[in-house]
Amino acid sequence: MNDLILAQKSAFESDLSKVTSITELEALKVAYLGKKGTITGLLKNMGSLSNEEKKDYGRDVNELKNLAQDAIAEKLTALKEQEMMAEINAVPTFDMDIPANTQGGSYHPITLVQRKCEEIFRSMGFNIEDYSEIVTDYECFESLNIPKFHPARDMQDTYYLDNGQLLKTQTSAAQNAIYKKYKDALINEGKPIKAIFPGRCFRNEATDACHENTFFQMEGVMVDKDISIANLIYSMKTMLAEVFDNYDLKVRLRPGFFPFVEPGFELDISCQICGGVGCPSCKHSGWLELCPCGMIHPNVLSEGGIDPEKYTGFAFGLGLTRLAMMKYGVKDIRDLNGGSLNSLAQFSDDE
Ligand code: DAH
């Protein structure tokens, strides 16, 4: 091997042995094998050599080039491994002696109360229905006897979507679809429509102890021949006595206006937090508005494909959030959505 080549070889080997990082290795590669690198430069000397010399010289330079490439590749693998081991060793070790968190999960009070109500209504022969949270204006308002520009729309501050749909402000939005789903069985087979549909509702409301912009309701409807207010009162009373496990719970009915029922009522129960004396949760009245209800308006039945001359029905819109507050003595609605696991864990034994 030519002296020049030998000198380059030992310089390369000495420099390579000093490399300690991938960045340094890359710089070395450029310095020897790059376009202006010294090994590459050796080939430029070929012009001054005889043909015979050129053959050996060329072969030797190529040999050195291959040797350098292989050595660099080998070094790269070793350095990568070294860096990976350094990273692994930098991970802190686990302390196996720290006591484990043994507190199990728990159901949210609204889930508990919803399940309880579902169980009660199922035992009375009601179907449980699920419904979308995004609905049309027709479902939420028009099919419920609330035409465009009707003043009753002001009762519910609605979140509209860009596409004209909206976040349902009330579970009543499912009524029309339920009537259409079951009307044939009612008309042809004489099967009463009995359904409940729990769901999340949204209104653009300012938050206080009794209001949140997101809350849970459970709508219920019953349609058949000769359904009367007596059926409504019986169903509500049975349900509330079971939920509160209190057959002496006080309820009162007041007239209430809702465009989709006639007559309409407000069903109140005595405040379970203060026992009826008056507190901020019941706005110091001793009563909590729990469940608006009424006899389904003839227009709403017709819109659902049911002849109001032949059939009648009742509907109610139970406030599940409010019901959970009363059942569990939660004073502020915001506590339910606060996400504190400790406060939610109190309800875990109830299931
Ligand atoms: N959807 C009404 C609301 O959220 C509540 C309601 C009132 C539902 C009367 C009913 C009903 O089914 O009959 O304000």
Side-chain angles (χ1 to χ4, degrees), residues 229 232 258 260-266 291-297 313-317:
I229 297 173
L232 166 64
F258 302 95
F260 35 91
V261 280
E262 180 56 38
F265 307 106
E266 286 286 3
C291 184
C293 49
M295 299 306 292
I296 303 165
H297 196 287
F314 69 75
F316 62 87

Side-chain angles (χ1 to χ4, degrees), residues 49-58:
L49 302 174
S50 70
N51 277 352
E52 197 48 39
E53 284 169 330
K54 265 185 196 160
K55 221 169 111 195
D56 289 348
Y57 186 86

Side-chain angles (χ1 to χ4, degrees), residues 156 169-170 172 175 203 217 219-220 258 260-261 292-294 315-317:
Q156 303 180 0
T169 57
Q170 49 183 351
S172 312
Q175 279 197 24
R203 285 185 205 174
Q217 287 187 339
E219 190 87 1
F258 302 95
F260 35 91
V261 280
C293 49
F316 62 87

Side-chain angles (χ1 to χ4, degrees), residues 191-245:
K191 282 191 185 160
I193 300 178
K194 292 161 91 177
I196 52 166
F197 21 111
R200 201 153 57 136
C201 303
F202 308 86
R203 285 185 205 174
N204 190 2
E205 292 202 349
T207 304
D208 63 23
C210 301
H211 297 90
E212 269 273 37
N213 57 12
T214 303
F215 52 93
F216 290 81
Q217 287 187 339
M218 181 184 280
E219 190 87 1
V221 293
M222 184 166 178
V223 183
D224 198 1
K225 288 191 171 136
D226 302 324
I227 296 291
S228 71
I229 297 173
N231 298 97
L232 166 64
I233 294 173
Y234 174 80
S235 304
M236 299 289 45
K237 269 197 165 172
T238 308
M239 193 271 301
L240 290 169
E242 291 272 344
V243 167
F244 288 97
D245 204 16

Side-chain angles (χ1 to χ4, degrees), residues 54-342:
K54 265 185 196 160
K55 221 169 111 195
D56 289 348
Y57 186 86
R59 188 199 56 223
D60 291 347
V61 173
N62 274 328
E63 204 175 283
L64 173 61
K65 204 171 146 188
N66 290 339
L67 181 144
Q69 272 167 349
D70 291 350
I72 287 171
E74 204 177 297
K75 185 89 180 179
L76 184 65
T77 313
L79 284 172
K80 275 189 180 161
E81 202 165 307
Q82 212 172 302
E83 285 188 6
M84 190 178 75
M85 287 315 289
E87 257 175 54
I88 291 173
N89 291 332
V91 173
T93 49
F94 293 103
D95 181 351
M96 304 296 236
D97 295 330
I98 292 177
N101 177 3
T102 51
Q103 182 184 321
S106 56
Y107 285 108
H108 194 280
I110 293 177
T111 307
L112 293 174
V113 112
Q114 177 179 327
R115 288 189 179 177
K116 181 83 186 162
C117 293
E118 287 176 359
E119 191 188 303
I120 300 164
F121 279 109
R122 200 185 283 125
S123 76
M124 294 195 279
F126 282 72
N127 290 328
I128 301 169
E129 301 284 335
D130 193 15
Y131 210 68
S132 167
E133 288 178 349
I134 296 175
V135 297
T136 59
D137 189 277
Y138 174 79
E139 289 165 294
C140 202
F141 299 119
E142 285 193 51
S143 69
L144 292 167
N145 204 25
I146 313 175
K148 288 213 161 53
F149 311 114
H150 191 287
R153 290 199 179 205
D154 291 347
M155 290 158 75
Q156 303 180 0
D157 285 323
T158 310
Y159 288 113
Y160 285 95
L161 307 182
D162 289 344
N163 65 5
Q165 289 183 305
L166 48 103
L167 297 183
K168 75 172 178 237
T169 57
Q170 49 183 351
T171 41
S172 312
Q175 279 197 24
N176 186 260
I178 302 287
Y179 299 142
K180 286 176 178 159
K181 179 173 172 186
Y182 290 113
K183 73 175 170 37
D184 289 343
L186 170 75
I187 297 163
N188 303 330
E189 299 163 41
K191 282 191 185 160
I193 300 178
K194 292 161 91 177
I196 52 166
F197 21 111
R200 201 153 57 136
C201 303
F202 308 86
R203 285 185 205 174
N204 190 2
E205 292 202 349
T207 304
D208 63 23
C210 301
H211 297 90
E212 269 273 37
N213 57 12
T214 303
F215 52 93
F216 290 81
Q217 287 187 339
M218 181 184 280
E219 190 87 1
V221 293
M222 184 166 178
V223 183
D224 198 1
K225 288 191 171 136
D226 302 324
I227 296 291
S228 71
I229 297 173
N231 298 97
L232 166 64
I233 294 173
Y234 174 80
S235 304
M236 299 289 45
K237 269 197 165 172
T238 308
M239 193 271 301
L240 290 169
E242 291 272 344
V243 167
F244 288 97
D245 204 16
N246 172 8
Y247 293 82
D248 297 325
L249 178 110
K250 278 195 245 156
V251 299
R252 72 176 186 186
L253 270 186
R254 288 179 287 122
F257 171 73
F258 302 95
F260 35 91
V261 280
E262 180 56 38
F265 307 106
E266 286 286 3
L267 187 140
D268 299 344
I269 71 165
S270 52
C271 180
Q272 298 294 294
I273 292 169
C274 61
V277 190
C279 69
S281 297
C282 60
K283 294 193 182 129
H284 304 281
S285 70
W287 291 97
L288 276 166
E289 218 176 277
L290 178 69
C291 184
C293 49
M295 299 306 292
I296 303 165
H297 196 287
N299 291 353
V300 174
L301 285 177
S302 321
E303 201 62 39
I306 296 167
D307 183 353
E309 296 291 328
K310 293 191 183 142
Y311 299 96
T312 51
F314 69 75
F316 62 87
L318 189 61
L320 278 181
T321 304
R322 204 162 280 195
L323 187 62
M325 287 169 74
M326 281 179 272
K327 180 163 167 59
Y328 296 108
V330 177
K331 292 198 181 67
D332 193 316
I333 194 169
R334 290 163 291 196
D335 288 342
L336 289 180
N337 297 338
S340 155
L341 292 182
N342 279 343

